[in-house]
Amino acid sequence: EPVSEGAPTLTVVKTAPAIAANTAFVYSFVVSNDADAAGPATVVNIADLPPVGITLNAAPAGGTCTAGGAAAVFPVVGDGTVVVECAIALTPALQPGEERTITWSATADVTTIGSTPVNHASYNPDGSENPPEPGENCTPAESCTSGTPDEPVSEGAPTLTVVKTAP
């Protein structure tokens, strides 16, 4: 029989930038394949638990997503209970020793002003489906990551509507 490549050994680290309400921002996921991994990664499955007040605007590039077990319809408004799981294609394949950054667009609503919302995520080190449930009690710990802004959510720019009428 032919020899097949082994599984990747992935690590995912999530970060959050400074956030302004009603302004799109991106969560960053740095996906690394360990230098000693037995093979490349062609997909990573990430489960994300957007907190109350955070809306995921669209699937990450190359991602096919579900929310609550059904096909995700974006935008997905975070309520702290709905898990969005995405199978994200890694093209070209992520070779051992390589890393790649995946971004996921989101928006914070005005209820988050002054808070530092924690967004939890999880993954399987071999890139497979069904990552552990993300959240404060996610286990095993090595499959869990979270992103928290360094500063509280700011007010951001106002959302204005202008209506012109003729006399």
Side-chain angles (χ1 to χ4, degrees), residues 19-153:
I19 300 172
N22 294 324
T23 304
F25 66 93
V26 293
Y27 285 110
S28 294
F29 295 83
V30 177
V31 181
S32 304
N33 193 5
D34 189 78
D36 296 327
T42 58
V43 67
V44 60
N45 283 269
I46 295 176
D48 193 83
L49 180 63
V52 173
I54 300 293
T55 296
L56 298 176
N57 298 326
T64 302
C65 305
T66 60
V73 177
F74 289 94
V76 174
V77 178
D79 65 4
T81 64
V82 174
V83 174
V84 179
E85 184 176 335
C86 296
I88 304 165
L90 299 172
T91 307
L94 189 64
Q95 299 298 322
E98 293 181 345
E99 71 177 31
R100 189 163 309 145
T101 300
I102 295 168
T103 58
W104 200 335
S105 176
T107 303
D109 70 27
V110 295
T111 65
T112 62
I113 293 172
S115 70
T116 50
V118 179
N119 188 315
H120 297 281
S122 63
Y123 64 97
N124 286 320
D126 65 359
S128 64
E129 296 177 358
N130 303 314
E133 184 80 18
E136 290 181 18
N137 300 315
C138 181
T139 58
E142 60 271 8
S143 293
C144 309
T145 184
S146 62
T148 305
D150 291 334
E151 303 280 331
V153 176

